[in-house]
Amino acid sequence: MIPQRVTLTPEALLLDWDDHSQRLSADALRRACRCADCLAGRSAPSATQTHLREARPVGHYALQLCFDDGHERGIYPWPYLAALQREATLG
């Protein structure tokens, strides 16, 4: 499961899959980070709006997202990104 196109804006990550398009906000992605620091509560998103700076490919399975608050440790596998959209739709 790899998107056909990945578009990064400061406000969102846009993914074009085979059968649908997906928009994940920078704030939601920052809150969804699963790196060790975030899971342990040592790295929390700032109170102000977060922006995306860069998306680095990690092999063929994920993206490493870099945020304007300096955080860039999170790895976001494609299935996890797809699940975030489903959770937002259901929640």
Side-chain angles (χ1 to χ4, degrees):
M1 172 194 318
I2 298 175
Q4 294 179 350
R5 184 180 349 184
V6 176
T7 305
L8 184 75
T9 71
E11 294 82 22
L13 179 67
L14 310 168
L15 302 170
D16 290 326
W17 302 95
D18 286 338
D19 58 350
H20 70 283
S21 294
Q22 178 178 16
R23 181 186 187 280
L24 297 166
S25 75
D27 288 330
L29 289 164
R30 181 65 178 88
R31 286 190 307 272
C33 182
R34 301 187 305 176
C35 78
D37 283 341
C38 288
L39 291 177
R42 293 186 296 256
S43 177
S46 64
T48 60
Q49 186 176 22
T50 303
H51 290 97
L52 288 159
R53 286 188 302 111
E54 187 178 358
R56 300 174 186 150
V58 179
H60 293 291
Y61 76 94
L63 288 177
Q64 177 183 8
L65 298 178
C66 303
F67 297 89
D68 66 349
D69 66 357
H71 189 69
E72 55 185 45
R73 294 180 50 115
I75 303 295
Y76 296 75
W78 300 125
Y80 182 60
L81 290 169
L84 288 176
Q85 183 67 34
R86 285 192 297 275
E87 289 171 14
T89 302
L90 296 173

